[in-house]
Amino acid sequence: MFRKYLVLITVIVIASMLFAACGGPSPAAQPTEAPAAEEAAPAEEAAPTEEEAPTEEAAPAEEAAPAEEQAAGEVDFPVIPGGFLEQALNGDFAGTTVTVDGPFADADAVKFNKSMEPFVNATGIDVNYIGNKEFEGSISIRVDADNAPDIADFPQPGLLATFVRQGKVVDPTEWIPEEWLQQEYNQSWLDMGVMAGPDGDQTAGVWHRFNGKSLVWYPKDDFDAAGYEIPTTWDEMLALSDMIVSDGDAPWCVGIESGAATGWPATDWMEEIMLRTTSLENYDAWTTGELPFSSPEVKNAAEMLGNVWFTDGYVLGGRDAIVSTNFGDAPAPMFEEPPRCWLHKQGNFITAFFPEGAQAGVDYDFFYLPPIDEEYGKPFLVAGDIMAMFNDRPEVRALMEYFTVPQSASGWLDTGGALAAHQTATPEMYGVDLERGIAALVADATSFRFDGSDLMPGEVGAGSFWKGMVDWVSGSADLDTVLAEIDASWPR
């Protein structure tokens, strides 16, 4: 899904064979978040298709229905009064088919189809999923050949933005009321869905599922026994780190080695700190090249990262070990007896690399990476899927409306693997305690932003940014030089 995941996918396959030989967890089970040029996490990008005028006019629906309102009491998901989904529930489009493309394969394809069952059973509309792991390459071919799917799932907004600029993507706000979208999503999700079209900005799609990155993992049983407490501010987190050092251990488990994608975990840390030390406007400008890496805002974020990673005793193995330790191996010392490091910042996919048999809530737990400046609230860094529409027909509009409610991601909510992007998702919808706990943290977030390096041009986000962080962390180049080199690499 994400650009960085493509590079990583090869690393993960090799790692999975090694882990299997040792009886350890298989990285192949990881969710979307592991880096790679493209990941199979949140659904990938959709291909445009022949755009047909809808056979029916969308109902104005001046006001969104409250989430409690349901269609004729027949379904357990809310619908827009007078919308296309309501018409579909009346059987108006029964017998039609909507084709959906995306990166889902294997278990994720099963979960997607499971999520579609309530829609299919209630409307008589067939949802034909045709996606696979080659989605990103095939979608461009299909779009160029005027053979785009009706809807496509994009885990990487950059490719979708290309199709939006070409005028291939239908704006769902042409018929979905703004009030409904504001009811279902935090404003940050709506902001991230706006992209430049041929005639100005437009909403490119509706968000579906996501994985969270702003998490710090720790060995719960040992942590509790040591009397440590969960930090709620950055200063408290540093004080906890000092306490662990004084007790004779290294607080942080860090590793950024990842084969051809080495360096990506460092870019995630940079993005987290940027969100906590400057405005969302500056973060967005940074991802588009308008705010240079050599700016005071970005340099400050790097220096704050250095204060954690380069402080004597803070990282297991010291600065040299950061570059040489594989990202999947980094948390392993947390599970030794006694732990050799105690804190590991990573997305929720990392549990696939934890020791076999390790139990959430017993052997490990997590907390939110604390805020730094109260002015910027409690941001959450995410990687997620956006559903984009290429062919405008009534039944396609009905499915797009279904994607705006959390029940459309029920396949993942029931069994784990991802969270619903919808703020109307409730704890009861999550069938796995781990995801339920992460969802509770997400509910407290004040804003969301997509992984910044995935939004940057490939030459930067999966190139000079990764390399620059490695050069700086390894000590082969100073920070000012690295930031200037990344700026110089930006395509003009």
Side-chain angles (χ1 to χ4, degrees):
M1 324 183 354
F2 307 105
R3 198 170 44 236
K4 60 178 76 163
Y5 289 124
L6 240 191
V7 179
L8 264 190
I9 203 75
T10 302
V11 177
I12 292 173
V13 170
I14 295 173
S16 68
M17 292 187 290
L18 293 175
F19 274 29
C22 301
S26 169
Q30 76 184 14
T32 328
E33 310 210 11
E38 268 137 54
E39 176 189 41
E44 301 203 340
E45 312 156 3
T49 116
E50 315 140 329
E51 299 179 69
E52 307 174 359
T55 60
E56 301 194 23
E57 189 108 34
E62 292 157 16
E63 260 186 48
E68 297 76 33
E69 185 160 348
Q70 300 182 357
E74 296 294 328
V75 293
D76 63 356
F77 51 84
V79 301
I80 301 171
F84 285 85
L85 180 52
E86 185 175 83
Q87 296 175 46
L89 293 171
N90 290 330
D92 291 4
F93 316 128
T96 59
T97 298
V98 177
T99 299
V100 179
D101 201 352
F104 300 135
D106 305 322
D108 277 329
V110 172
K111 291 179 181 181
F112 176 78
N113 288 326
K114 185 71 174 176
S115 301
M116 295 302 100
E117 285 181 4
F119 174 86
V120 172
N121 293 338
T123 65
I125 298 171
D126 183 43
V127 177
N128 179 26
Y129 177 68
I130 61 171
N132 56 54
K133 294 177 180 178
E134 306 304 319
F135 166 78
E136 181 154 325
S138 65
I139 189 64
S140 295
I141 296 173
R142 296 195 61 186
V143 173
D144 291 343
D146 199 24
N147 186 34
D150 297 321
I151 296 173
D153 181 335
F154 290 83
Q156 214 280 9
L159 181 55
L160 173 57
T162 298
F163 297 135
V164 174
R165 282 194 300 272
Q166 295 171 351
K168 302 286 189 178
V169 177
V170 179
D171 186 337
T173 62
E174 290 180 6
W175 79 92
I176 299 179
E178 180 181 354
E179 293 87 350
W180 178 268
L181 294 174
Q182 290 175 338
Q183 166 185 290
E184 295 297 322
Y185 297 98
N186 178 286
Q187 185 61 43
S188 289
W189 287 107
L190 301 181
D191 293 342
M192 289 190 292
V194 175
M195 301 180 185
D199 302 315
D201 288 347
Q202 71 169 72
T203 294
V206 296
W207 294 95
H208 188 225
R209 63 173 197 136
F210 78 101
N211 284 287
K213 297 193 170 195
S214 302
L215 303 170
V216 178
W217 304 85
Y218 64 96
K220 180 174 173 55
D221 48 357
D222 294 293
F223 192 91
D224 292 345
Y228 299 142
E229 296 183 359
I230 302 299
T232 58
T233 69
W234 194 266
D235 287 341
E236 288 180 3
M237 187 177 74
L238 296 182
L240 172 61
S241 300
D242 290 335
M243 186 181 302
I244 294 172
V245 170
S246 69
D247 288 342
D249 292 325
W252 290 95
C253 321
V254 182
I256 66 172
E257 193 280 322
S258 188
T262 293
W264 70 263
T267 68
D268 278 4
W269 269 87
M270 281 286 291
E271 292 152 7
E272 298 277 17
I273 297 174
M274 280 289 289
L275 286 173
R276 287 159 174 75
T277 57
T278 191
S279 66
L280 295 177
E281 291 76 15
N282 278 341
Y283 182 89
D284 294 340
W286 176 51
T287 66
T288 60
E290 298 170 61
L291 182 72
F293 274 77
S294 54
S295 67
E297 292 85 355
V298 181
K299 184 175 181 180
N300 174 63
E303 289 172 341
M304 292 198 71
L305 171 58
N307 289 339
V308 176
W309 284 11
F310 305 156
T311 295
D312 287 343
Y314 264 31
V315 174
L316 181 63
R319 186 170 180 171
D320 292 341
I322 294 176
V323 175
S324 61
T325 301
N326 180 268
F327 76 94
D329 296 334
M334 284 199 312
F335 297 94
E336 296 182 17
E337 290 295 343
R340 292 195 295 129
C341 55
W342 294 75
L343 306 170
H344 181 65
K345 194 214 85 66
Q346 191 51 273
N348 54 297
F349 79 87
I350 196 62
T351 58
F353 293 87
F354 288 175
E356 185 176 4
Q359 296 182 38
V362 178
D363 301 303
Y364 65 90
D365 212 334
F366 57 88
F367 60 84
Y368 171 72
L369 181 68
I372 297 175
D373 189 327
E374 290 183 0
E375 178 181 354
Y376 305 114
K378 298 176 70 175
F380 219 99
L381 187 67
V382 300
D385 301 52
I386 185 170
M387 297 291 185
M389 173 178 168
F390 292 95
N391 295 319
D392 196 354
R393 302 190 309 276
E395 63 272 20
V396 183
R397 289 189 173 199
L399 182 54
M400 286 292 287
E401 290 180 18
Y402 179 63
F403 284 134
T404 68
V405 299
Q407 290 84 351
S408 68
S410 59
W412 287 276
L413 305 193
D414 290 344
T415 59
L419 306 172
H422 318 81
Q423 63 185 2
T424 50
T426 62
E428 297 74 24
M429 292 181 181
Y430 290 91
V432 177
D433 289 342
L434 180 70
E435 269 84 4
R436 187 182 301 114
I438 297 173
L441 293 183
V442 169
D444 289 335
T446 57
S447 60
F448 298 88
R449 277 301 183 269
F450 211 88
D451 181 300
S453 60
D454 282 331
L455 298 174
M456 297 174 185
E459 302 94 319
V460 179
S464 59
F465 194 3
W466 288 354
K467 179 181 182 300
M469 296 303 291
V470 172
D471 291 344
W472 175 52
V473 173
S474 67
S476 64
D478 62 69
L479 181 59
D480 288 333
T481 298
V482 164
L483 298 178
E485 288 177 346
I486 298 175
D487 282 333
S489 72
W490 204 283
R492 304 296 178 187

